[in-house]
Amino acid sequence: AGMNGTAIENFVCVIFNVSFMNCTWHVGRTAAEDTQYFLYWRPSKKEDVTECQNYIKDYCGRHIGCQFQNVKIENKNAYFLVNGSRNGQSIQSYEKKILLYQIEKLTPPLNVSVNCTEASHRCSIWWQPPRTSHVKKSSCFKYEIVIENK
């Protein structure tokens, strides 16, 4: 239901710093300035649906995103629904299913150490895997090292 072009567009979520998630979207092409959007999500089928508690707003005061804390990444789908309201007009809703582990932006490796010896012209580099809430095996990570001579 709802007039074409009133649903949100370009819905994107990113998880960062292990347990924070930002979801953002663009206002529908034909949505009026007084249209307001509301985000609901369910982290897994076992959990209840909850509304966003910390909206990101545009210059008109419309909700264009949401910030979440304490997000737990599981190898399961999370479900998102964004619907809207406006006096006298029904707004198209938007639904999306996302595997949360696929949208995590990993932190850099931790405790990077370098030891170079001039005599052997060799360097040893050590590090620890990035922090993440869902990857348990360090063998799951692949690294690339770029060495620049200065």
Side-chain angles (χ1 to χ4, degrees):
M3 193 169 86
N4 281 345
T6 57
I8 64 159
E9 298 175 349
N10 300 323
F11 183 82
V12 176
C13 295
V14 175
I15 295 175
F16 60 98
N17 287 349
V18 181
S19 63
F20 294 92
M21 180 171 69
N22 278 0
C23 295
T24 58
W25 58 84
H26 294 143
V27 171
R29 291 181 311 276
T30 63
E33 278 195 16
D34 62 345
T35 300
Q36 189 58 279
Y37 295 100
F38 304 94
L39 171 65
Y40 300 89
W41 86 300
R42 186 173 67 182
S44 71
K45 284 187 175 182
K46 297 176 186 173
E47 298 182 55
D48 293 332
V49 173
T50 58
E51 183 182 352
C52 171
Q53 298 298 306
N54 191 18
Y55 282 108
I56 302 165
K57 298 179 182 184
D58 69 5
Y59 63 93
C60 294
R62 293 179 294 198
H63 301 156
I64 58 166
C66 183
Q67 298 173 322
F68 298 93
Q69 295 179 359
N70 303 319
V71 173
K72 289 187 177 30
I73 299 174
E74 297 177 356
N75 295 332
K76 297 182 176 124
N77 284 311
Y79 301 88
F80 296 85
L81 167 71
V82 181
N83 61 21
S85 66
R86 179 180 184 250
N87 268 345
Q89 181 185 14
S90 60
I91 306 300
Q92 287 179 318
S93 61
Y94 174 90
E95 294 181 45
K96 188 163 187 178
K97 182 171 49 171
I98 298 175
L99 284 166
L100 294 181
Y101 75 88
Q102 291 181 335
I103 61 168
E104 182 178 19
K105 183 177 174 91
L106 295 172
T107 63
L110 303 170
N111 300 324
V112 177
S113 301
V114 179
N115 183 14
C116 296
T117 58
E118 278 190 45
S120 66
H121 300 291
R122 292 180 182 246
C123 291
S124 297
I125 305 171
W126 301 268
W127 62 85
Q128 293 175 331
R131 289 182 23 216
T132 178
S133 66
H134 71 288
V135 178
K136 304 303 179 212
K137 295 180 182 177
S138 61
S139 62
C140 291
F141 293 101
K142 292 182 181 179
Y143 301 95
E144 180 179 329
I145 299 172
V146 177
I147 299 173
E148 296 178 3
N149 273 339
K150 292 194 177 191

